[in-house]
Amino acid sequence: MTGPWTDWNHVLKVDPDKDLIDGETFEDVCQTGTDAIEIGGTLDITADKMQRVVDACAEYDVPLYQEPSNPGVVIDDDALDGYLIPTVFNAKDAFWITGAHKEWVRIENGMDWGRTHTEAYIVLNPEASVAQLTDANCDQSADDVASYASVAERMFGQEIVYVEYSGMFGDTEKVQAAHDALDDATLFYGGGIRDYDAAYEMGQHTDVVVVGDLLHDEGVDAVRETVEGARDAMEERAEAEA
Ligand code: 1GP
């Protein structure tokens, strides 16, 4: 179960429904130093909006992944390195566990399995759109989060486990619990990373720090700081473990 994300520290999530700040371009976005760009969002996403971001990033050499929020927005484009297909493990609405996926596997032109990878979400901020949309049960202890991580990795063969706090900085104890539970799968953490210090702190508990809204709210310089924070934390951890 290896993918390029095993070498990543930082992912920038671009929401195709949100604008960049004035004066910034996708060329700037692709030059923040992030390890990969994940294109996805929860609300009002269309294939056209997805395509616009892919087209704008295609000529730069940062890896590009689409994270489709539903089967209708999947785009077929050689510029994409792959698709990260989310499953929300703590959703009460089964559509987000297997319902959407049942539609996905029969999309027009078929699935591109060679480029399709799996992401097991554990959604923990009840205020986030993703929690409300999927009717996620966010009331999970650190032990529960560790259990979900094991279920995802061991029983459902997920390549990535994603602790999602979208919009708020999460509980590092729960993130660490997920990290401790995993052997092979890569842990992504996303939510409320707004500066170097937050990225550095969470970088001590996860494999990959994901940054989203900061790009659309404050721009590429702020994102670059988070790249440095995540990288410094992970380099220190690697040295300590060596
Ligand atoms: C959202 O996990 C990402 O899916 C990032 O969250 O927008 O809070 O950075 P933020």
Side-chain angles (χ1 to χ4, degrees), residues 11-13 18 38 40-42 67 121 125 128 130 162-169 188-194 209-217:
V11 164
L12 181 57
K13 194 181 278 194
K18 294 182 182 163
E38 191 172 356
T42 304
E67 185 187 51
Y121 270 73
N125 174 9
V130 61
Y162 192 134
V163 175
E164 171 69 291
Y165 274 94
S166 181
M168 69 174 277
F169 189 79
F188 282 25
Y189 165 86
I193 303 291
R194 312 289 299 181
V209 169
V210 183
V211 169
D213 279 352
L214 186 66
L215 172 70
H216 305 286
D217 296 342

Side-chain angles (χ1 to χ4, degrees), residues 116-136:
T116 299
H117 308 283
T118 54
E119 255 182 348
Y121 270 73
I122 307 165
V123 173
L124 295 176
N125 174 9
E127 305 296 321
S129 313
V130 61
Q132 289 168 5
L133 184 71
T134 64
D135 196 13

Side-chain angles (χ1 to χ4, degrees), residues 42-143:
T42 304
L43 304 173
D44 299 321
I45 306 299
T46 64
D48 280 352
K49 290 179 190 171
M50 285 277 191
Q51 188 70 55
R52 275 205 292 275
V53 178
V54 173
D55 289 346
C57 295
E59 66 181 280
Y60 306 102
D61 64 0
V62 59
L64 274 186
Y65 286 80
Q66 190 188 3
E67 185 187 51
S69 48
N70 71 71
V73 305
V74 176
I75 58 172
D76 181 9
D77 195 305
D78 289 343
L80 287 169
D81 291 78
Y83 304 91
L84 301 178
I85 304 296
T87 295
V88 179
F89 271 61
N90 59 330
K92 283 188 273 186
D93 180 348
F95 180 78
W96 302 104
I97 304 174
T98 51
H101 309 67
K102 178 184 70 130
E103 305 308 323
W104 253 310
V105 297
R106 57 183 172 189
I107 54 174
E108 227 179 304
N109 304 325
M111 294 285 283
D112 183 351
W113 289 114
R115 285 192 291 168
T116 299
H117 308 283
T118 54
E119 255 182 348
Y121 270 73
I122 307 165
V123 173
L124 295 176
N125 174 9
E127 305 296 321
S129 313
V130 61
Q132 289 168 5
L133 184 71
T134 64
D135 196 13
N137 178 359
C138 300
D139 185 16
Q140 309 289 344
S141 67
D143 241 21

Side-chain angles (χ1 to χ4, degrees), residues 126-183:
E127 305 296 321
S129 313
V130 61
Q132 289 168 5
L133 184 71
T134 64
D135 196 13
N137 178 359
C138 300
D139 185 16
Q140 309 289 344
S141 67
D143 241 21
D144 294 328
V145 172
S147 283
Y148 269 127
S150 290
V151 169
E153 178 184 68
R154 294 287 169 191
M155 294 182 168
F156 288 81
Q158 301 284 295
E159 297 165 83
I160 294 165
V161 172
Y162 192 134
V163 175
E164 171 69 291
Y165 274 94
S166 181
M168 69 174 277
F169 189 79
D171 180 337
T172 53
E173 193 196 332
K174 293 182 186 178
V175 180
Q176 186 65 48
H179 194 254
D180 292 344
L182 297 177
D183 287 320

